[in-house]
Every structure is written in structure tokens, then in C-alpha cells.
Amino acid sequence: MMITRATRGSSSLLASTARTQSRTFVLTTLATTLFGSVLWSKNNVLASKMENNELHYDDPNKKFQIDKKPAFQRPEPEYPGHVPLYNYEKLLMFLGSSIGSFFHPERNEFIVALGESTAITPVLKRLQKTMLSDKTGRQILRERPRITSSSLDLDYLRSLPDNTIGKQYIVWLDREGVSPDTRVPVRYIDNEELAYIFQRYRECHDFYHAITGLPIIIEGEISVKVLEYLNIGIPMSGLGALFAPLRLKTSQRKRLREIYYPWALQNGLFSKPLINVYWEKILEKDINEFRKEMGIEPPPDLRNMRKEYFAVKRKEKEMKQKK
């Protein structure tokens, strides 16, 4: 009887212990599951933020670190060949090219740099507005033609009648020994369309010589520059007309003052905008008819005037030697 009671007590104790362990296991499992899911969910969120670069670590030593970003970071080019410049670089280029152009006007690199360093945005935007307000100007901006020996059939131009724009253009090129390919691409003007407008002005320069008949000797260049400045408004043209005569002889300045400056002033101010001429489409046009439509009168032949002047000088020198 005593053994039975002891056995029953032992069994009861074991059952109680089992129930306690079972409850503990269930509670532990439940707690682990709940807290584990929370931790797992949090880890997933952190991992997702890290993957999306949304997790930022506030480094307390950040204020002591040196910023390695350059003080001057050049902007990205806006078109092929574009070289963005800071304002101080444009100023230095202007100063250097101004001095170089004055003492060495025959060196094209100085003329090119001076032209682009003075082609400021307000001037080019005014030219852009002039082109956009004209039907032909808009067509030029839309089609973006280039004047090169590849885009023009030079042999065909030589076959045209003598009174056409194309024939007078190629005759002028051959006589002066120049080529359409000598006009270098624009590099330092920041806006892509404004850069094209200046490129167009640069490539059309020889046509201005051709329709006026002015040669590329310094008096002819100055006369064309005055015409360009008053008609188109490029600052470099005005600077050239202002300072280049300082290097001329007295006889040359006299011709400019008495003949070619008055001609350039009248024709530059009162002619239609040359920037809106689509030269490639009027090569067969009669040059005199074109001049009349544009309001441009041809100036006196500069080469003949120079020949006459030197002939007179030779005669005077011979007469002095005979005496």
C-alpha cells in the first residue's frame, strides 16, 4: 500500500514537471517566433535600404575630412569640339589675341581667338533673333549648311557665267589664293546654336569679299570688317576697324578715310542683314541683281587704286632722280 502511494506521487510529480516543461517550451517558441520575425523584418528593411542607397551613416569624423572635389570643375562640352572656358580664361584669351592680332594680323590663330573671345552671348542672341525673324534665316538655322570645298562644287562654279555670284566667288578665291576650308571650327562659344551662328558668319566672310570685290590686303580687310560690324554687329570687326589703321601708312589711312570708310558706313547701315543670305542657293543669281536687292553698292577697285598710286610715286621718284 505504501509502495503504491509512493509510485502514484512520483508519477504525479513527473506529470507536473512534464506539463511545466511543455508550457515553457511553447512560451519560448512563441517568444522566439514573435521576436525573430520582428528582427528578421527589420533586417530585411535595412538590407532593402542599403540596396537602394537610402541608408546614410552620419560619420562624426566627417567634419574633419578634407573635401577632395576640385575647386574649379569645368562644365561638360555642349557639342563636339567644344572647350568650355571660365570667364577669366576668356579674358586672358581676349587680351592675348588682341595683342597678337595687332602685331601679327597675318596669323590666323590670333584672329580666330579674338573673334570667339569677343563673341559675347548678347551679341550672338541678337543675331539669332535676326535670323529667327526671317524666313531664310530660319531655314539656315534649321538645315545648318556648311561652306567648304566639299559642300560646294568648285569646278561647277568655274563653269558659271561671269556675272553670277558663284563665278565671282570662285574667281575671288583663285585670285587671292584662299580656300573655303581655311575657316576653322568654333570651339569656345558655349551654346550649340550660337556657336553655329558664329561659324556661319565666319564661313560667309569670303562671300562678303566676293560681292564687294575687296582683296584680302589690309585695307580691303578693314573695309569689309567695317561693313560686317555695321551690318552684322560682331565686336571683333569693330575692334579691327578701330585699331588696325594705326599700323597703316599715311596713304593707306587716307584712302580708308576718304573712300572706303564712307562706303562701308553707308552700305553697312542701310543694306539688308547679310547673315540671312543662303549663299549656297543663289550661286547662279546675277551678282548685280543681288547687290541691288540687298542695297549694296560695289566700292572702287582697291587694287587699281593702289596700282595708280604706286605708278604716280614711281614717276615722281624718276623725275627727282633726273633733276
Side-chain angles (χ1 to χ4, degrees):
M1 192 71 176
M2 291 177 62
I3 294 173
T4 302
R5 289 178 182 174
T7 302
R8 289 179 180 177
S10 176
S11 299
S12 177
L13 180 60
L14 290 173
S16 176
T17 301
R19 286 193 295 272
T20 301
Q21 290 178 347
S22 177
R23 286 195 299 268
T24 302
F25 174 77
V26 171
L27 292 175
T28 302
T29 301
L30 182 61
T32 301
T33 302
L34 291 175
F35 287 107
S37 63
V38 171
L39 291 174
W40 180 258
S41 176
K42 185 176 181 180
N43 288 335
N44 283 342
V45 171
L46 291 174
S48 177
K49 287 186 175 182
M50 290 177 65
E51 183 178 354
N52 296 327
N53 199 26
E54 297 175 355
L55 187 63
H56 303 285
Y57 170 62
D58 188 13
D59 186 0
N61 297 319
K62 182 170 59 178
K63 60 182 179 180
F64 300 109
Q65 296 177 356
I66 299 176
D67 187 5
K68 296 182 180 180
K69 185 178 180 180
F72 298 99
Q73 187 168 359
R74 198 175 297 280
E76 293 293 326
E78 295 193 22
Y79 52 88
H82 177 220
V83 180
L85 296 179
Y86 298 113
N87 289 332
Y88 79 89
E89 290 177 309
K90 292 180 181 179
L91 177 60
L92 291 175
M93 186 169 72
F94 164 69
L95 294 175
S97 59
S98 298
I99 297 171
S101 299
F102 182 79
F103 290 104
H104 298 282
E106 75 282 358
R107 292 181 58 176
N108 190 52
E109 65 268 27
F110 291 137
I111 304 299
V112 168
L114 180 62
E116 294 192 39
S117 62
T118 56
I120 56 178
T121 300
V123 172
L124 294 176
K125 282 190 173 293
R126 183 181 58 78
L127 266 181
Q128 183 186 43
K129 184 178 180 181
T130 300
M131 297 183 74
L132 290 173
S133 63
D134 181 83
K135 180 180 178 180
T136 304
R138 291 194 297 271
Q139 184 181 8
I140 293 171
L141 288 178
R142 184 172 60 253
E143 298 179 2
R144 303 283 182 89
R146 297 292 303 274
I147 299 176
T148 66
S149 59
S150 299
S151 64
L152 299 176
D153 188 342
L154 301 185
D155 291 332
Y156 170 71
L157 297 184
R158 292 187 178 93
S159 70
L160 292 174
D162 291 340
N163 64 323
T164 60
I165 293 175
K167 183 60 174 287
Q168 290 301 309
Y169 173 69
I170 193 65
V171 165
W172 185 89
L173 290 179
D174 292 341
R175 184 180 62 194
E176 302 299 329
V178 296
S179 165
D181 298 327
T182 57
R183 304 301 171 183
V184 300
V186 172
R187 300 178 62 194
Y188 303 110
I189 294 176
D190 293 333
N191 181 275
E192 188 266 342
E193 183 164 88
L194 298 183
Y196 171 76
I197 291 173
F198 191 80
Q199 184 74 41
R200 180 68 180 178
Y201 152 76
R202 179 179 283 173
E203 293 178 358
C204 290
H205 177 78
D206 290 343
F207 275 101
Y208 307 154
H209 275 282
I211 63 171
T212 60
L214 289 167
I216 59 175
I217 56 179
I218 190 166
E219 295 166 76
E221 281 293 348
I222 292 174
S223 302
V224 172
K225 291 298 183 186
V226 176
L227 175 71
E228 287 179 345
Y229 177 67
L230 295 173
N231 183 274
I232 300 176
I234 296 296
M236 180 194 66
S237 302
L239 291 172
L242 182 63
F243 292 105
L246 299 177
R247 302 183 68 251
L248 299 183
K249 298 177 181 179
T250 302
S251 60
Q252 294 173 314
R253 288 199 296 268
K254 183 179 180 182
R255 277 192 293 268
L256 284 175
R257 184 175 62 253
E258 295 180 357
I259 300 174
Y260 292 100
Y261 274 172
W263 167 84
L265 287 169
Q266 180 181 354
N267 287 270
L269 287 173
F270 299 106
S271 59
K272 295 179 181 179
L274 289 167
I275 196 66
N276 286 332
V277 177
Y278 207 143
W279 298 99
E280 299 89 329
K281 294 185 178 296
I282 60 169
L283 295 171
E284 296 86 1
K285 190 179 184 67
D286 183 275
I287 191 168
N288 293 315
E289 182 183 343
F290 171 77
R291 289 168 178 160
K292 185 176 180 180
E293 290 177 359
M294 294 295 295
I296 295 178
E297 297 179 359
D301 192 310
L302 179 57
R303 288 189 179 277
N304 286 339
M305 291 191 68
R306 286 169 59 90
K307 289 179 181 179
E308 293 173 0
Y309 172 79
F310 288 123
V312 171
K313 284 297 182 181
R314 280 195 301 269
K315 288 182 180 180
E316 292 177 352
K317 185 177 181 180
E318 292 173 358
M319 291 178 63
K320 288 181 180 179
Q321 290 176 348
K322 289 180 180 180
K323 292 179 180 180

